[in-house]
Amino acid sequence: MIKVKNITKKYGSFTAVEDISFEIQEGEIVGFLGPNGAGKSTTMNMITGFIEQTEGEIEVAGFDTLKNPKKAKKNIGYMPEGVPLYYDLTVKEFVTYMAQMKKVDKKEIKEKVQKVLKETGLEDVQNKLTKNLSRGYKQRVSMAGALVSNPKILILDEPTVGLDPKQVTEIRSLIKSLGKDHTVILSSHILSEVSQICNKVIIINKGKIVAIDTPENLENKVSTDNTIYVTVEDNENKVEQVKGQIEGIKEIKLIQENEDKTKQYMITGEEGKDLRKLVFEVFARENITIFEMKKVDVTLEDAFMKLIEGGEQ
Ligand code: ADP
């Protein structure tokens, strides 16, 4: 659906994006993840045809963005960062105006506007002035404007910035549902957001791609060992003696002794080894009572930091 080939963007002598390439397939929800200034907006703006790349080629739905800009643009609905709305228009008027701008067939405008208002949960507020809406609803209106021509691709720049937690949850689930019928690209500097919404993550740092993968794979990639935390009642101090019975164990370490006389241990296994089952069996056999057992997963945050640090070396 989108092919980005060896794209570089320079602002004067400053290189904002350097030789990046990736492809996005139909139906994917892709997240551009990176710190501020990484080059996310620049990349999105080149895909939308809003700015021109210095080098390289971009294809959108089979059309080159420089050679066939109109046809390429027709496939994209773009929601810029912030919410630039015309505040003296009602929700319905604004979305209708966007439909006219995008040259939606006059006979179809009414129907398409109502369809998109329904899709974005705006039916009940369609006659309100956009300026009187909450930030979350303004964001929806902006999204409706991007969607009204029914583009195949939806590009959202930082869609949840400035929203309160409830609005964030609502917008995220809206994006997920839009992902069923559209290819979606969004940018974010929030890791949990990308891992919740997207099925593919492109991590960008200082204008370069440092990783492209699924959120799950990125987490696995940087997971070097398997650590579990176990809280036990062990009056006879047997835990450290049973170490030899747990195959694949690397280390067992007392972390804390609690007031109720339970103790928490950190148990580290060899790479790729999940020790939970074995620890449970051995401890049960030795009459060590387990109060709690938890696995510590590497988060996307860890993956992100590791990849970015690696990229800078
Ligand atoms: P992000 O969206 O990841 O925060 P941007 O794509 O907005 O990053 O910016 C990437 C880099 O390019 C930044 O260092 C930014 O200052 C620079 N930049 C962006 N737009 C311009 C411009 N019009 N002129 C000069 N530098 C720019």
Side-chain angles (χ1 to χ4, degrees):
M1 183 58 68
I2 296 173
K3 288 185 185 160
V4 170
K5 291 180 246 172
N6 305 103
I7 286 298
T8 293
K9 175 68 189 175
K10 291 186 178 165
Y11 293 111
S13 60
F14 175 74
T15 307
V17 170
E18 191 177 349
D19 193 24
I20 64 170
S21 301
F22 57 86
E23 286 189 15
I24 294 173
Q25 314 302 332
E26 188 167 355
E28 282 186 318
I29 305 183
V30 177
F32 282 140
L33 179 64
N36 285 328
K40 305 184 295 290
S41 298
T42 302
T43 306
M44 289 182 150
N45 280 325
M46 288 188 283
I47 297 172
T48 58
F50 203 62
I51 57 173
E52 286 187 13
Q53 64 268 29
T54 316
E55 278 169 47
E57 284 165 31
I58 303 175
E59 230 180 66
V60 173
F63 300 106
D64 186 289
T65 50
L66 299 186
K67 292 182 198 143
N68 251 321
K70 276 195 184 151
K71 284 185 175 159
K73 271 184 199 158
K74 230 179 160 202
N75 289 284
I76 294 180
Y78 175 52
M79 192 187 81
E81 198 182 342
V83 273
L85 302 174
Y86 296 89
Y87 282 181
D88 287 326
L89 297 183
T90 64
V91 171
K92 187 165 82 183
E93 283 166 350
F94 173 78
V95 181
T96 304
Y97 170 71
M98 290 303 283
Q100 288 161 349
M101 292 267 291
K102 293 179 174 191
K103 309 227 166 19
V104 173
D105 191 337
K106 277 205 182 91
K107 283 174 272 168
E108 290 180 13
I109 286 186
K110 234 180 166 172
E111 182 197 327
K112 288 214 164 149
V113 168
Q114 283 310 317
K115 183 169 170 272
V116 82
L117 290 176
K118 192 169 176 206
E119 213 176 1
T120 48
L122 290 168
E123 272 178 313
D124 293 347
V125 296
Q126 59 179 292
N127 294 317
K128 281 195 178 173
L129 289 175
T130 56
K131 67 179 166 198
N132 295 334
L133 298 176
S134 69
R135 171 93 202 212
Y137 269 82
K138 282 184 182 138
Q139 195 74 284
R140 281 169 193 255
V141 177
S142 188
M143 224 184 259
L147 277 168
V148 69
S149 58
N150 197 24
K152 289 189 184 136
I153 302 160
L154 187 60
I155 299 186
L156 312 166
D157 201 347
E158 296 274 3
T160 60
V161 159
L163 303 186
D164 70 35
K166 185 165 171 276
Q167 295 167 340
V168 168
T169 312
E170 287 169 0
I171 290 288
R172 283 181 188 164
S173 69
L174 176 59
I175 295 171
K176 269 196 156 171
S177 72
L178 292 173
K180 289 178 195 141
D181 299 316
H182 303 267
T183 303
V184 181
I185 305 179
L186 61 95
S187 70
S188 176
H189 60 281
I190 309 164
L191 307 143
S192 56
E193 173 156 296
V194 167
S195 68
Q196 276 172 34
I197 309 178
C198 304
N199 39 40
K200 185 155 139 189
V201 186
I202 300 180
I203 299 186
I204 304 184
N205 190 37
K206 296 186 176 168
K208 289 184 186 162
I209 291 179
V210 289
I212 304 182
D213 219 324
T214 62
E216 297 79 31
N217 281 347
L218 285 172
E219 283 163 19
N220 289 338
K221 249 185 202 167
V222 293
S223 144
T224 49
D225 58 18
N226 269 300
T227 300
I228 53 176
Y229 285 89
V230 194
T231 304
V232 297
E233 188 178 69
D234 175 30
N235 298 330
E236 298 169 48
N237 278 323
K238 280 197 291 193
V239 165
E240 290 178 53
Q241 294 158 28
V242 301
K243 189 179 164 189
Q245 296 178 42
I246 304 167
E247 199 195 316
I249 196 169
K250 254 177 34 188
E251 194 189 5
I252 187 159
K253 201 165 131 191
L254 180 65
I255 299 292
Q256 65 176 16
E257 295 190 42
N258 301 318
E259 277 176 14
D260 61 2
K261 297 228 171 94
T262 59
K263 293 175 188 169
Q264 191 185 38
Y265 287 90
M266 185 182 84
I267 301 178
T268 311
E270 286 164 5
E271 198 169 325
K273 186 123 188 148
D274 188 347
L275 292 176
R276 283 175 299 183
K277 194 160 172 275
L278 203 53
V279 166
F280 182 81
E281 283 167 11
V282 172
F283 281 21
R285 197 161 64 220
E286 297 291 332
N287 292 323
I288 301 167
T289 312
I290 297 176
F291 277 64
E292 191 191 23
M293 172 143 69
K294 59 183 179 191
K295 187 161 177 258
V296 189
D297 286 323
V298 187
T299 62
L300 194 59
E301 177 111 39
D302 298 324
F304 182 50
M305 289 316 292
K306 232 171 178 163
L307 287 163
I308 283 182
E309 282 162 15
E312 280 181 359
Q313 275 162 13

